[in-house]
Amino acid sequence: MENLKPGAVKGGIELIVGREHCTSRGGGPWVFKTPAMVQFCESSCHTLLQPLLGEGRNSVGTVVYIKHLAPTPEGMKVRSEVELAKVDRRRLKFKVKVFDEIELVGEC
């Protein structure tokens, strides 16, 4: 964990929003649901962090603050931009932005 410093983890992950990531309210269109966005943010952090943790180590999210800013329709691609912002012993704080093909749709 000594190699983990703010800025040590930067990068992004992409996802095509499938029906399993969506919700529809009142017969409206299928759009990326907030719980799926939370999972996407946590998974993005984990995927980018894992190579730095070493064998036998893992990570799990414990606190999430999220803003879901705009709807993303089913079938559209989303991408995360992840940065390790703070290291406090074994606690890591990430900043994540989520973009679809049009705009910023989430901050975590």
Side-chain angles (χ1 to χ4, degrees), residues 15-23 30-37 39-40 72:
L15 170 76
I16 302 293
V17 176
R19 180 65 54 98
E20 67 274 17
H21 308 116
C22 292
T23 188
W30 289 91
V31 295
F32 196 30
K33 59 187 172 185
T34 303
M37 183 182 285
Q39 182 180 17
F40 177 58
T72 300

Side-chain angles (χ1 to χ4, degrees), residues 36-93:
M37 183 182 285
V38 170
Q39 182 180 17
F40 177 58
C41 290
E42 183 176 2
S43 178
S44 294
C45 294
H46 174 79
T47 298
L48 294 167
L49 175 65
Q50 191 60 41
L52 299 176
L53 289 181
E55 193 169 328
R57 294 189 172 228
N58 210 334
S59 66
V60 64
T62 58
V63 176
V64 178
Y65 300 100
I66 194 159
K67 293 180 186 176
H68 197 154
L69 304 170
T72 300
E74 178 183 14
M76 191 174 275
K77 182 178 3 180
V78 291
R79 68 179 165 80
S80 61
E81 288 185 2
V82 175
E83 181 177 0
L84 178 58
K86 185 177 179 181
V87 178
D88 178 13
R89 298 174 313 235
R90 293 177 25 187
R91 291 184 186 102
L92 308 176
K93 181 178 180 181

